[in-house]
Amino acid sequence: MRSPLTTLPKAELHIHIEGSLEPEMMVALAQRNGITLPYASVEEVRAAYQFENLQSFLDLYYAGAQVLQTEQDFYDLTWAYLQKCAAQHVRHTEIFFDPQTHSDRGIPFEVFHSGITQALKDAKTELGVSSALILCFLRHLSAEAAMATLEQALPYRDSIIAVGLDSSELGHPPSKFQAVFDRARAEGFLTVAHAGEEGPPEYVWEAIRLLKVSRIDHGVRCVEDPALVDYLVEHQIPLTVCPLSNIKLCVFDEMAQHNLKQLMELGLCVTVNSDDPAYFGGYMAENFQAVESALGLTPEQLVQLAKNSFKASFLSPAEQQPYLQELSTYI
Ligand code: HPA
Ligand code: ZN
């Protein structure tokens, strides 16, 4: 390879902006906003990040997000993440945000939306990082609440490319949100959904057939259903895989057991992503490094992952082309 791994140009397609809240910023924003955290120090916050499954993480993630109150807070959060992108050669990022995590505690849509989008604009001009925004519905809440959230987002639709589905997967299948996603597509949004992280292959089928998603977030349990693997390969429906997340949330016991390499060798369009980097121990470069060393990925496979990240993005083919061209010179 021409240069070290971290300099590969790449796109990130699975990052929850609330999950980029580093403990240092959590403590600083708590102080700034007069909020008392149940931790005495940054070290105590970090020490609490021992998760058994998705739900045990979500409980802390929603508690941490409470420190985000003002437009400036959302700006600072997003800007810190975008600076990481620039440092790690992430040239394009498609960012999830969870409106219900904020509006349900009285923060107006305008406040978090302005803070996030102003940082995205500044990153384009000051850091050369392009972006898109994906609104996620919290699937543990009702379909009616998701529909109300979609309606709140309509005045901001020009700044939001897609809708997605996150939070507690088991017991909340994609079918619960079919009407909301029908409406979202009718309003012009693309769709994605978390499926097959903890949930069964059937949830991946539902996301494809009922929600008509452009890509599947996680999807690693697809290997349990050979017909599903065939379908994903045939239609090249991308998976946004999050290796460090999968280890922290015990989807796999250790990185050496992760099926990312197997998925690639089956012909799936696999991408590498950070999910909630402040909680799971790393951003894009750390995720690439972790799979490279644990799974013994070849330089060709690493470049393929970077190429897949642009191909699976919502950039137009003309926008993808310079990145794919640059990557083709790497081997
Ligand atoms: N899975 C589901 N919901 C989430 C996640 C995740 O990894 N991160 C933030 N919300
Ligand atoms: Zn996620």
Side-chain angles (χ1 to χ4, degrees), residues 69-320:
Q69 300 270 333
T70 67
E71 183 177 332
Q72 187 68 45
D73 298 342
F74 286 94
Y75 181 94
D76 293 348
L77 173 75
T78 310
W79 184 248
Y81 162 69
L82 291 161
Q83 284 182 304
K84 271 281 186 201
C85 288
Q88 297 194 341
H89 298 257
V90 174
R91 306 279 179 81
H92 176 74
T93 178
E94 300 187 354
I95 297 179
F96 296 131
F97 72 120
D98 287 345
Q100 289 156 292
T101 299
H102 313 303
S103 49
D104 286 4
R105 56 194 175 87
I107 314 279
F109 203 103
E110 175 66 21
V111 168
F112 49 83
H113 179 269
S114 303
I116 294 170
T117 52
Q118 189 56 51
L120 299 182
K121 277 194 203 118
D122 291 350
K124 178 75 185 144
T125 54
E126 293 176 34
L127 304 174
V129 177
S130 64
S131 59
L133 206 47
I134 303 173
L135 181 161
C136 273
F137 302 114
L138 300 185
R139 68 202 301 161
H140 68 278
L141 301 178
S142 69
E144 291 72 26
M147 190 69 93
T149 301
L150 176 61
E151 283 169 359
Q152 275 174 25
L154 292 179
Y156 307 93
R157 74 171 94 199
D158 290 350
S159 62
I160 301 169
I161 197 160
V163 298
L165 202 53
D166 67 2
S167 191
S168 324
E169 186 180 3
L170 287 169
H172 302 285
S175 52
K176 177 175 164 186
F177 296 94
Q178 187 173 357
V180 183
F181 275 63
D182 282 349
R183 171 84 189 276
R185 289 196 318 282
E187 297 285 357
F189 295 97
L190 296 167
T191 62
V192 297
H194 283 54
E197 177 186 18
E198 286 189 344
E202 184 53 37
Y203 285 19
V204 179
W205 279 121
E206 284 189 13
I208 295 167
R209 290 181 169 147
L210 305 182
L211 308 187
K212 313 213 184 297
V213 295
S214 302
R215 42 185 204 236
I216 296 287
D217 296 314
H218 292 294
V220 291
R221 285 193 61 191
C222 71
V223 285
E224 296 168 32
D225 180 346
L228 176 58
V229 170
D230 287 348
Y231 187 94
L232 293 167
V233 171
E234 186 188 342
H235 296 272
Q236 284 295 290
I237 298 176
L239 302 187
T240 64
V241 175
C242 305
L244 287 173
S245 164
N246 291 155
I247 304 311
K248 273 296 225 183
L249 302 189
C250 309
V251 174
F252 299 93
D253 289 338
E254 50 184 295
M255 198 59 86
Q257 289 166 13
H258 199 290
N259 66 7
L260 175 134
K261 187 172 179 168
Q262 179 197 0
L263 294 170
M264 288 187 81
E265 290 173 350
L266 285 167
L268 281 119
C269 180
V270 176
T271 66
V272 165
N273 306 272
S274 71
D275 206 4
D276 299 282
Y279 291 87
F280 299 151
Y283 291 76
M284 283 288 273
E286 290 80 12
N287 272 277
F288 267 81
Q289 272 148 8
V291 288
E292 183 201 22
S293 60
L295 304 177
L297 297 184
T298 64
E300 287 79 8
Q301 284 175 315
L302 293 166
V303 171
Q304 188 62 50
L305 286 167
K307 284 186 177 170
N308 289 351
S309 73
F310 291 106
K311 288 187 193 163
S313 76
F314 293 135
L315 291 171
S316 68
E319 290 167 322
Q320 293 173 20

